[in-house]
Amino acid sequence: MRRMRLLSGLLAVAALTGCATAPATTPAPATTMDPVAASPSPTEADAVRFVEQANERLYELGVRASHAAWVAANFITFDTQRIAAERDEIFTSAFTETAKEAARFDGLRLSYDTRRQLELLKTGLVAPAPADARKATELSELKARLEAMYGAGKFCPPGRSGEDCLDIQQITRIFAGSRDPAELMEVWAGWRTISPSMRPLYQRFVELSNEGSRELGYRDTGVLWRSKYDMPPDEFAAEMDRLWLQVKPLYDTLHCYVRAELNQEYGDAVVPLDQPIRADLLGNIWAQDWSNVYELVAPPAVDPGFDLTERLRSKNVDAREMVRIGERFFTSLGFDPLPDTFWERSLFTQPVDHEAVCHASAWNVDEENDLRIKMCIEPTAEDFKTIHHELGHNFYQRAYNQLPYLYRQSANDGFHEALGDTIALSVTPPYLRQIGLIPEVPDPSKDLGLLMRDALESVAFLPFGLLIDKWRWGVFSGEISPAEYNRAWWELRTRYQGIRPPVERTEEQFDPGAKFHIPGNTPYSRYFLARILQFQFHRSLCETIGFDGPLNRCSIYGNREAGRRLNEMMEMGISRPWPDALEALTGKREMDATAIIGYFAPLKQWLDQQNRGRRCGW
């Protein structure tokens, strides 16, 4: 998705970017730990001291890497890339070394906290470095270079060059507004010219990452990723499939309806009714969010009654004030305001004199109270919701900042994303009226249009959120060979999303690399889980405040009890298995997609009626 963040103890250095390859570097020596448990028979006391030192060491190195990553994300240069790569290598190598040392205590009977932190060490990295120092350096440089290639990527249409080339922000705007199939096809293919050169680098990255994972005792990096969820990795994969099958009927009926409406707009030659939808016609460069085609598929006579983007612009709400509005949402729940340093150090608008990564992200740079967001904000409804989402990360980060370093994460990575998305669900017409952005709340008869707009964003995303890591799990395991990267990518996109490329794709391309999270090496299952959990969280919080009505009208704005329940869950960090955190907020211990089904039930009933007599599926 468009959202990224930097997780404590999972330093993916997600925003590392630059324009050139950093040369081989000699990293500064990392802070070392005392050789505890060096004897053949380590004791429980040794394990306790080891965990204490691991928290101190990784905290120190993680903060240094965060500062370097922040600079690299905000000033894309050769030198910032090099510095960030050095710091990332030091942190990653130290984390990997510490994780391997933790295995010495596997046979001991230990306290819950000591054992849990040892296990978190083993699963705490997304790309473990091999023990070989040269390979560890190569891995960090590959990560930096891949992210740099994406961050500096531009499409230069024929006849244009230099400043006339299109960056990701400009391309995003074209996809949001253009209805010219030829233009969309050109720009869609043009953006994907940034990624073919990533392919050999990514292949090598996979080899090195797998080597590091095997040294930690995991079959491959995909198994390592799936081992982070308090259940065996194969059970987690099955859990993802279970949740998908719960929501698939809702997605299928939305897909059928949208394809028919696009057919009305573009005709059979462009949108055949018996084939997957062309990926460039859905209003988003990755076809992961279809909300920009709302005007083409909106139910008749259900104008929501307001245009939030227009309201923001007419009221001259600038980027900083949009963030202030988001902050006031959280303070209305009882949370303390953001620190002054947040306003001094965050990036709110796109720089005019240098390149920066505009991908929205939330940071806690010192792992304590140096909270920031990095985002090139525009006065749009989408960015307004994104701000509420990103601030959700910041308030979550602060809630658990008193825990040991290894516990400073969300209950699982889906929780962090879900928390932000839960807050975004409270950006409802009643909330917008309360804060003065709209003059009155539209009649409930308008809700079908609002539900359609939300479904085009949330429901349309679900299969995309699932398949990204299915592709990578296959790549890491070797089930998908380097010779079939692109073929396997499009097989999954067609199978799950029901879309197809607008032009022929071959193995000369590397279309996965045109999505930030692939070169950025950010696990994506979190976003799928977040879509499920956010509605489960929302339903529970609405029940907590005694709301009686359609869930799409519920906002927890101003309710201190809702804030207390949220904080109770957030303060736990990852100190307990995620079912404990889920139970603290919802009273349930299992992730459940019935909440999203219930939220969109009125829309699904209407969609099913519209699809009668149509041939659905692909």
Side-chain angles (χ1 to χ4, degrees):
M1 294 183 66
R2 61 184 181 277
R3 309 167 184 115
M4 255 313 280
R5 61 190 169 79
L6 196 65
L7 287 177
S8 338
L10 291 168
L11 196 64
V13 193
L16 224 56
T17 49
C19 301
T21 306
T25 58
T26 303
T31 305
T32 58
M33 295 170 61
D34 292 339
V36 299
S39 66
S41 302
T43 67
E44 180 178 4
D46 291 332
V48 170
R49 185 154 65 96
F50 177 84
V51 167
E52 290 174 351
Q53 292 186 346
N55 275 297
E56 293 173 3
R57 181 193 191 194
L58 296 176
Y59 168 80
E60 177 187 347
L61 297 179
V63 170
R64 292 181 185 178
S66 288
H67 279 287
W70 175 265
V71 175
N74 286 278
F75 299 89
I76 301 178
T77 70
F78 170 88
D79 293 299
T80 59
Q81 178 192 343
R82 173 173 176 156
I83 293 168
E86 288 178 355
R87 283 297 163 194
D88 175 52
E89 179 187 346
I90 293 169
F91 176 84
T92 301
S93 295
F95 207 117
T96 305
E97 173 192 330
T98 307
K100 292 173 182 176
E101 292 174 2
R104 295 179 312 199
F105 306 102
D106 282 352
L108 289 179
R109 178 173 295 183
L110 303 171
S111 70
Y112 169 84
D113 281 313
T114 302
R115 174 56 62 198
R116 182 159 182 83
Q117 289 180 76
L118 288 170
E119 293 302 315
L120 290 173
L121 272 170
K122 296 177 185 178
T123 60
L125 287 169
V126 295
D132 184 298
R134 291 188 178 182
K135 290 181 178 179
T137 298
E138 183 184 2
L139 179 66
S140 288
E141 291 174 354
L142 283 170
K143 287 194 292 185
R145 188 176 178 188
L146 284 164
E147 293 159 1
M149 294 167 76
Y150 184 94
K154 292 183 179 181
F155 165 50
C156 297
R160 298 190 194 182
S161 61
E163 294 182 358
D164 292 330
C165 294
L166 303 175
D167 62 23
I168 188 63
Q169 297 288 97
Q170 295 166 306
I171 289 173
T172 297
R173 286 192 286 270
I174 290 172
F175 272 87
S178 177
R179 300 294 178 254
D180 179 349
E183 179 185 30
L184 291 170
M185 180 186 295
E186 179 189 35
V187 176
W188 186 94
W191 173 248
R192 283 155 180 79
T193 61
I194 73 166
S195 53
S197 57
M198 297 179 187
R199 186 174 183 134
L201 304 182
Y202 190 77
Q203 180 180 345
R204 179 59 175 161
F205 167 82
V206 169
E207 293 170 356
L208 293 174
S209 176
N210 274 343
E211 184 174 336
S213 296
R214 285 192 293 270
E215 290 174 3
L216 286 174
Y218 298 94
R219 189 169 63 249
D220 58 64
T221 300
V223 174
L224 169 64
W225 287 9
R226 297 195 300 277
S227 298
K228 302 174 187 288
Y229 294 94
D230 297 306
M231 61 176 65
D234 290 344
E235 287 186 19
F236 176 70
E239 177 71 355
M240 295 281 282
D241 289 337
R242 179 186 71 82
L243 293 168
W244 164 242
L245 291 177
Q246 279 189 290
V247 297
K248 186 176 183 298
L250 176 59
Y251 178 81
D252 287 349
T253 193
L254 178 68
H255 179 282
C256 187
Y257 172 79
V258 168
R259 181 174 61 185
E261 295 302 302
L262 293 178
N263 173 269
Q264 292 293 314
E265 173 73 15
Y266 296 113
D268 292 339
V270 176
V271 186
L273 290 174
D274 59 350
Q275 293 183 26
I277 303 171
R278 255 178 54 174
D280 59 329
L281 301 178
L282 290 161
N284 175 269
I285 192 171
W286 305 286
Q288 68 180 56
D289 177 339
W290 303 353
S291 56
N292 285 319
V293 300
Y294 174 79
E295 66 183 59
L296 301 181
V297 304
V302 287
D303 177 7
F306 66 92
D307 181 330
L308 181 54
T309 297
E310 186 278 328
R311 297 295 298 171
L312 290 167
R313 290 173 176 167
S314 67
K315 287 180 169 291
N316 295 317
V317 180
D318 63 15
R320 185 170 290 261
E321 179 57 22
M322 286 171 70
V323 181
R324 287 286 187 189
I325 292 171
E327 179 193 37
R328 289 195 289 270
F329 188 104
F330 287 90
T331 57
S332 81
L333 301 178
F335 293 98
D336 291 335
L338 293 162
D340 291 342
T341 53
F342 172 87
W343 304 100
E344 297 164 1
R345 299 170 184 172
S346 291
L347 175 73
F348 298 135
T349 56
Q350 186 169 12
V352 296
D353 59 349
H354 63 269
E355 289 188 347
V357 179
C358 280
H359 193 90
S361 55
W363 303 58
N364 188 358
V365 176
D366 69 353
E367 297 294 344
E368 292 181 1
N369 207 39
D370 191 357
L371 305 168
R372 311 179 191 181
I373 64 170
K374 177 187 61 58
M375 181 177 173
C376 301
I377 299 170
E378 297 187 1
T380 65
E382 181 180 15
D383 280 6
F384 186 78
K385 287 189 175 183
T386 299
I387 288 166
H388 286 70
H389 170 96
E390 296 301 339
L391 292 182
H393 290 314
N394 285 142
F395 281 91
Y396 205 159
Q397 290 162 339
R398 186 166 66 179
Y400 54 59
N401 69 5
Q402 299 303 311
L403 296 174
Y405 179 75
L406 291 171
Y407 280 164
R408 295 182 194 179
Q409 306 169 37
S410 60
N412 68 40
D413 52 11
F415 275 63
H416 233 303
E417 298 300 329
L419 191 282
D421 285 333
T422 298
I423 300 304
L425 284 177
S426 279
V427 180
T428 62
Y431 164 63
L432 297 175
R433 171 65 183 86
Q434 280 183 275
I435 63 175
L437 277 179
I438 61 175
E440 59 184 20
V441 177
D443 184 86
S445 64
K446 306 290 188 180
D447 284 4
L448 190 62
L450 294 173
L451 284 170
M452 174 64 80
R453 191 184 296 274
D454 288 345
L456 292 171
E457 178 183 358
S458 297
V459 178
F461 171 78
L462 290 168
F464 185 81
L466 183 72
L467 68 87
I468 297 288
D469 278 353
K470 279 188 174 290
W471 181 81
R472 280 192 289 201
W473 295 345
V475 168
F476 286 129
S477 72
E479 181 182 350
I480 298 173
S481 71
E484 55 185 4
Y485 278 170
N486 228 41
R487 179 194 62 76
W489 174 258
W490 281 106
E491 283 186 357
L492 286 168
R493 298 207 69 182
T494 300
R495 183 195 314 169
Y496 285 98
Q497 284 187 279
I499 65 169
R500 60 185 173 90
V503 295
E504 182 182 0
R505 311 307 287 167
T506 70
E507 292 304 325
E508 294 180 3
Q509 285 91 36
F510 183 57
D511 292 337
K515 174 62 180 169
F516 173 84
H517 300 74
I518 301 296
N521 194 45
T522 306
Y524 214 75
S525 297
R526 65 184 63 169
Y527 301 110
F528 175 81
L529 294 177
R531 279 291 188 263
I532 303 299
L533 286 168
Q534 73 178 96
F535 289 93
Q536 191 172 356
F537 290 176
H538 182 65
R539 180 175 65 184
S540 179
L541 289 169
C542 291
E543 291 171 352
T544 295
I545 69 175
F547 181 80
D548 183 19
L551 285 175
N552 65 294
R553 288 253 162 173
C554 173
S555 177
I556 62 171
Y557 177 71
N559 191 284
R560 296 299 179 99
E561 176 59 19
R564 186 194 67 78
R565 291 284 294 275
L566 277 171
N567 194 58
E568 182 181 354
M569 181 270 287
M570 291 158 61
E571 284 183 331
M572 296 169 69
I574 198 171
S575 65
R576 305 294 302 178
W578 66 259
D580 291 358
L582 182 63
E583 186 175 28
L585 181 61
T586 69
K588 309 292 184 182
R589 296 184 62 82
E590 184 179 66
M591 291 183 283
D592 181 12
T594 61
I596 189 172
I597 299 299
Y599 187 96
F600 289 107
L603 176 65
K604 185 177 186 304
Q605 182 180 11
W606 183 84
L607 289 172
D608 288 342
Q609 293 172 351
Q610 305 308 305
N611 288 334
R612 286 176 183 169
R614 288 174 176 164
R615 177 182 174 181
C616 296
W618 54 89

Coordinates of all heavy atoms in Angstrom, one line a residue, residues 235-266:
E235 N 0.7 -23.0 9.4 CA -0.6 -22.7 10.0 C -1.0 -21.2 9.7 O -2.1 -20.9 9.4 CB -0.7 -22.9 11.5 CG -0.7 -24.4 11.9 CD -0.9 -24.6 13.4 OE1 -1.4 -23.6 14.0 OE2 -0.7 -25.7 13.9
F236 N 0.1 -20.4 9.7 CA -0.2 -19.0 9.3 C -0.6 -18.8 7.9 O -1.6 -18.1 7.6 CB 1.0 -18.1 9.6 CG 0.9 -16.7 9.2 CD1 0.0 -15.8 9.9 CD2 1.5 -16.2 8.0 CE1 -0.2 -14.5 9.4 CE2 1.3 -14.9 7.6 CZ 0.5 -14.0 8.3
A237 N 0.0 -19.5 7.0 CA -0.4 -19.5 5.6 C -1.8 -20.0 5.4 O -2.6 -19.4 4.7 CB 0.6 -20.4 4.7
A238 N -2.2 -21.0 6.2 CA -3.6 -21.5 6.1 C -4.5 -20.5 6.7 O -5.7 -20.4 6.2 CB -3.7 -22.8 6.9
E239 N -4.1 -19.8 7.7 CA -5.0 -18.7 8.3 C -5.2 -17.6 7.3 O -6.4 -17.1 7.2 CB -4.3 -18.2 9.6 CG -5.1 -17.1 10.3 CD -6.3 -17.5 10.9 OE1 -6.7 -18.7 10.8 OE2 -7.0 -16.7 11.6
M240 N -4.2 -17.2 6.6 CA -4.4 -16.2 5.5 C -5.5 -16.7 4.5 O -6.3 -15.9 4.1 CB -3.1 -15.9 4.8 CG -2.1 -15.3 5.7 SD -2.3 -13.5 6.0 CE -1.7 -12.9 4.5
D241 N -5.3 -18.0 4.1 CA -6.3 -18.5 3.1 C -7.7 -18.6 3.7 O -8.7 -18.3 3.0 CB -5.8 -19.9 2.7 CG -4.6 -19.9 1.8 OD1 -4.3 -18.8 1.2 OD2 -3.9 -20.9 1.7
R242 N -7.8 -18.9 5.0 CA -9.1 -19.0 5.6 C -9.8 -17.6 5.6 O -11.0 -17.5 5.3 CB -9.0 -19.5 7.1 CG -10.3 -19.6 7.8 CD -10.1 -19.9 9.3 NE -9.6 -18.8 10.0 CZ -10.3 -17.8 10.5 NH1 -11.6 -17.7 10.3 NH2 -9.7 -16.8 11.2
L243 N -9.1 -16.6 6.0 CA -9.6 -15.2 6.0 C -10.0 -14.8 4.6 O -11.1 -14.2 4.4 CB -8.6 -14.3 6.6 CG -8.4 -14.5 8.1 CD1 -7.2 -13.7 8.6 CD2 -9.6 -14.1 8.9
W244 N -9.2 -15.1 3.6 CA -9.5 -14.8 2.2 C -10.8 -15.4 1.7 O -11.6 -14.7 1.1 CB -8.3 -15.1 1.3 CG -8.7 -15.1 -0.2 CD1 -8.7 -16.2 -1.0 CD2 -9.2 -14.0 -0.9 NE1 -9.1 -15.8 -2.3 CE2 -9.4 -14.5 -2.3 CE3 -9.4 -12.7 -0.6 CZ2 -9.9 -13.6 -3.3 CZ3 -9.9 -11.8 -1.7 CH2 -10.1 -12.3 -2.9
L245 N -11.0 -16.7 2.1 CA -12.2 -17.3 1.6 C -13.4 -16.8 2.3 O -14.5 -16.8 1.7 CB -12.1 -18.8 1.9 CG -11.1 -19.6 1.1 CD1 -11.0 -21.1 1.5 CD2 -11.4 -19.5 -0.4
Q246 N -13.3 -16.2 3.5 CA -14.4 -15.5 4.1 C -14.9 -14.3 3.3 O -16.0 -14.0 3.2 CB -14.1 -15.1 5.5 CG -14.1 -16.1 6.6 CD -14.0 -15.6 8.0 OE1 -12.9 -15.1 8.4 NE2 -15.0 -15.5 8.8
V247 N -13.9 -13.5 2.8 CA -14.2 -12.3 2.1 C -14.3 -12.4 0.6 O -14.8 -11.5 -0.1 CB -13.2 -11.2 2.4 CG1 -13.2 -10.9 3.9 CG2 -11.8 -11.6 2.0
K248 N -13.9 -13.5 0.0 CA -13.9 -13.6 -1.4 C -15.3 -13.4 -2.1 O -15.3 -12.7 -3.1 CB -13.4 -15.0 -1.8 CG -13.2 -15.2 -3.3 CD -12.5 -16.6 -3.6 CE -12.3 -16.7 -5.1 NZ -13.5 -16.7 -6.0
P249 N -16.4 -13.9 -1.5 CA -17.7 -13.6 -2.2 C -18.0 -12.1 -2.3 O -18.6 -11.7 -3.3 CB -18.7 -14.3 -1.3 CG -17.9 -15.4 -0.6 CD -16.5 -14.8 -0.4
L250 N -17.6 -11.3 -1.3 CA -17.8 -9.9 -1.4 C -16.9 -9.3 -2.5 O -17.4 -8.5 -3.3 CB -17.4 -9.3 0.0 CG -17.5 -7.7 0.1 CD1 -18.9 -7.2 -0.3 CD2 -17.1 -7.3 1.5
Y251 N -15.6 -9.7 -2.6 CA -14.8 -9.2 -3.7 C -15.3 -9.6 -5.0 O -15.3 -8.8 -6.0 CB -13.4 -9.7 -3.5 CG -12.4 -9.3 -4.6 CD1 -11.9 -8.0 -4.6 CD2 -12.2 -10.1 -5.7 CE1 -11.1 -7.6 -5.6 CE2 -11.4 -9.7 -6.8 CZ -10.8 -8.4 -6.7 OH -10.0 -8.0 -7.7
D252 N -15.7 -10.8 -5.2 CA -16.2 -11.3 -6.5 C -17.4 -10.5 -7.0 O -17.4 -10.2 -8.2 CB -16.6 -12.8 -6.4 CG -15.3 -13.7 -6.2 OD1 -14.2 -13.2 -6.4 OD2 -15.5 -14.9 -5.9
T253 N -18.3 -10.2 -6.1 CA -19.5 -9.5 -6.6 C -19.1 -8.0 -6.9 O -19.7 -7.4 -7.9 CB -20.6 -9.5 -5.6 OG1 -21.8 -9.1 -6.2 CG2 -20.4 -8.7 -4.3
L254 N -18.1 -7.4 -6.2 CA -17.7 -6.1 -6.5 C -17.0 -6.1 -7.9 O -17.2 -5.2 -8.7 CB -16.7 -5.6 -5.4 CG -16.1 -4.2 -5.6 CD1 -17.2 -3.1 -5.6 CD2 -15.0 -3.9 -4.6
H255 N -16.1 -7.1 -8.1 CA -15.4 -7.2 -9.4 C -16.3 -7.3 -10.5 O -16.2 -6.6 -11.6 CB -14.5 -8.4 -9.3 CG -13.7 -8.7 -10.5 ND1 -14.2 -9.3 -11.7 CD2 -12.4 -8.4 -10.8 CE1 -13.3 -9.4 -12.6 NE2 -12.2 -8.9 -12.1
C256 N -17.4 -8.1 -10.4 CA -18.3 -8.3 -11.5 C -19.0 -7.0 -11.8 O -19.2 -6.7 -13.0 CB -19.3 -9.4 -11.0 SG -20.5 -9.9 -12.3
Y257 N -19.4 -6.3 -10.8 CA -20.2 -5.1 -11.0 C -19.3 -4.0 -11.7 O -19.6 -3.3 -12.6 CB -20.7 -4.5 -9.7 CG -21.3 -3.1 -9.8 CD1 -22.6 -2.9 -10.3 CD2 -20.5 -2.0 -9.4 CE1 -23.1 -1.6 -10.4 CE2 -21.1 -0.7 -9.5 CZ -22.3 -0.6 -10.0 OH -22.8 0.7 -10.1
V258 N -18.0 -3.9 -11.1 CA -17.1 -2.8 -11.6 C -16.8 -3.2 -13.1 O -16.7 -2.2 -13.9 CB -15.8 -2.8 -10.8 CG1 -14.7 -2.0 -11.5 CG2 -16.2 -2.2 -9.4
R259 N -16.5 -4.4 -13.4 CA -16.2 -4.8 -14.8 C -17.3 -4.4 -15.7 O -17.1 -3.8 -16.8 CB -15.9 -6.2 -14.9 CG -15.5 -6.7 -16.4 CD -15.1 -8.1 -16.4 NE -16.2 -9.1 -16.0 CZ -16.0 -10.4 -15.8 NH1 -14.8 -10.9 -16.1 NH2 -17.0 -11.1 -15.4
A260 N -18.6 -4.6 -15.3 CA -19.7 -4.3 -16.2 C -19.8 -2.8 -16.4 O -20.2 -2.3 -17.5 CB -21.0 -4.8 -15.5
E261 N -19.6 -2.0 -15.3 CA -19.7 -0.6 -15.5 C -18.5 0.0 -16.3 O -18.7 0.9 -17.1 CB -19.7 0.1 -14.1 CG -20.9 -0.3 -13.2 CD -22.2 0.1 -13.9 OE1 -22.3 1.3 -14.1 OE2 -23.0 -0.8 -14.1
L262 N -17.3 -0.6 -16.2 CA -16.2 -0.1 -17.0 C -16.5 -0.5 -18.5 O -16.1 0.2 -19.4 CB -14.9 -0.7 -16.6 CG -14.4 -0.3 -15.2 CD1 -13.1 -1.0 -14.8 CD2 -14.2 1.2 -15.2
N263 N -17.2 -1.6 -18.7 CA -17.6 -2.0 -20.1 C -18.5 -0.9 -20.7 O -18.4 -0.6 -21.9 CB -18.3 -3.4 -20.0 CG -18.8 -3.8 -21.4 OD1 -20.0 -3.5 -21.6 ND2 -18.0 -4.4 -22.2
Q264 N -19.4 -0.4 -19.9 CA -20.3 0.7 -20.3 C -19.5 1.9 -20.7 O -19.9 2.6 -21.7 CB -21.3 1.0 -19.2 CG -22.3 -0.1 -19.0 CD -23.2 -0.3 -20.1 OE1 -23.8 0.6 -20.7 NE2 -23.5 -1.6 -20.5
E265 N -18.4 2.2 -20.0 CA -17.6 3.3 -20.3 C -16.7 3.1 -21.5 O -16.6 4.0 -22.4 CB -16.7 3.7 -19.1 CG -15.7 4.8 -19.3 CD -16.4 6.2 -19.4 OE1 -17.5 6.3 -19.0 OE2 -15.7 7.1 -19.8
Y266 N -16.0 2.0 -21.6 CA -15.0 1.8 -22.6 C -15.4 0.8 -23.7 O -14.7 0.8 -24.8 CB -13.7 1.2 -21.9 CG -13.1 2.2 -20.9 CD1 -13.1 1.9 -19.6 CD2 -12.5 3.4 -21.3 CE1 -12.5 2.7 -18.6 CE2 -11.9 4.2 -20.4 CZ -11.9 3.9 -19.1 OH -11.4 4.8 -18.2

